[in-house]
Amino acid sequence: MKALYRSAAVQRFLAFLFATWLRLCYATLRWTREGQDMAEQVWKTPGGAILCFWHARIPLAPQSWPQARVEADGSRARQDMRALISRSSDGEFIALTVQQIGFPSIRGSSKKSSDPGKNKHGEQAFRDMIKWVKGGGGVAITPDGPRGPAEVMQLGTPTLARVTGAPVIFVGLASKPCIRIGSWDRTLIPLPFSRGAMVWDGPVYAGRDDDLEALTGEWAARLTAVTERAEALLDGQGGR
């Protein structure tokens, strides 16, 4: 069964189906937004940016950063976004899906602690991200991905922020009613005509002398807080 799922043709077909489903959801979701002015300030800056959301919220994430590149007057609307996605079979499916929605990816992930000799192209992906962000692009990162633990931030995000000097913004995403699948992070799948919430925090920066371990804990707490706030906004509207 795994071999069938990993087939390129099967993954392309499944990605097409899932992307079509997400487009339907995006067209019918009723959004509540909080703090988006923070994101808009970053969108207006001339440099790059780093966007963070938890791995379980990937299906909702494209709605947080529309890919329109210019305003009516010809000025840039926001940074052109790329998503960091692992080279696993699951990552291939995600990459194919988000590409159809309009988000190209940067592929790579950290090495597994159980198999440190296996090349996951993490170093090259990190170099690609540095180049992209320093060139004025945006990078979307799930700092607990690709395999968890869920909502535990790794050092990659503050390290990238320190090397590039780019602002980091956090977005909490929720949708109700929804489907929660039985993956390690309990990925959230939106439903058509459901309600969505998007809550922003930031921007924050990583200075040259900052303690990256301390930043990791602080930023993880802030990302969890906006995610919980998004869930609470929907609960407050009377739904679960």
Side-chain angles (χ1 to χ4, degrees):
M1 192 68 179
K2 283 186 178 181
L4 178 63
Y5 171 69
R6 290 173 180 172
S7 161
V10 170
Q11 288 210 328
R12 285 195 299 269
F13 176 68
L14 293 176
F16 169 77
L17 291 180
F18 191 41
T20 301
W21 174 266
L22 290 179
R23 289 193 193 98
L24 174 60
C25 294
Y26 296 162
T28 58
L29 273 167
R30 293 163 289 154
W31 283 100
T32 298
R33 292 176 170 83
E34 187 173 278
Q36 187 162 308
D37 57 316
M38 300 176 186
E40 291 171 352
Q41 291 174 9
V42 173
W43 292 346
K44 294 175 182 177
T45 61
I50 300 168
L51 172 68
C52 289
F53 47 87
W54 291 129
H55 194 273
R57 313 294 161 145
I58 287 176
L60 290 170
Q63 289 288 279
S64 67
W65 202 283
Q67 284 287 62
R69 294 176 176 82
V70 294
E71 300 285 9
D73 61 2
S75 63
R76 188 184 69 173
R78 57 190 64 84
Q79 293 83 356
D80 192 11
M81 181 59 68
R82 297 287 183 272
L84 174 64
I85 300 174
S86 79
R87 287 183 173 268
S88 66
S89 58
D90 288 344
E92 180 67 16
F93 170 72
I94 294 171
L96 290 169
T97 301
V98 298
Q99 184 173 355
Q100 292 194 41
I101 296 172
F103 282 78
S105 61
I106 294 174
R107 304 298 303 278
S109 58
S110 58
K111 296 177 180 179
K112 294 175 65 174
S113 58
S114 60
D115 189 8
K118 189 173 183 179
N119 183 11
K120 304 297 284 187
H121 302 275
E123 296 85 354
Q124 183 59 51
F126 192 74
R127 290 192 292 269
D128 291 343
M129 286 192 294
I130 292 172
K131 182 178 179 180
W132 180 254
V133 173
K134 284 189 172 182
V139 169
I141 296 177
T142 56
D144 58 341
R147 57 181 59 84
E151 299 195 8
V152 175
M153 184 175 290
Q154 306 302 318
L155 284 171
T157 300
T159 302
L160 179 65
R162 182 164 70 179
V163 172
T164 61
V168 179
I169 50 178
F170 312 113
V171 61
L173 298 157
S175 179
K176 293 185 180 180
C178 67
I179 299 169
R180 299 299 292 264
I181 65 175
S183 57
W184 61 268
D185 62 344
R186 298 192 67 237
T187 294
L188 182 158
I189 308 295
L191 295 172
F193 304 98
S194 60
R195 293 168 294 112
M198 184 183 305
V199 181
W200 296 89
D201 186 20
V204 297
Y205 297 83
R208 293 178 60 184
D209 298 325
D210 287 341
D211 184 332
L212 294 183
E213 292 280 359
L215 284 183
T216 299
E218 176 188 332
W219 291 3
R222 293 178 69 162
L223 182 51
T224 294
V226 290
T227 303
E228 291 176 348
R229 173 60 180 165
E231 295 281 355
L233 284 175
L234 298 183
D235 290 339
Q237 293 176 8
R240 288 187 177 274

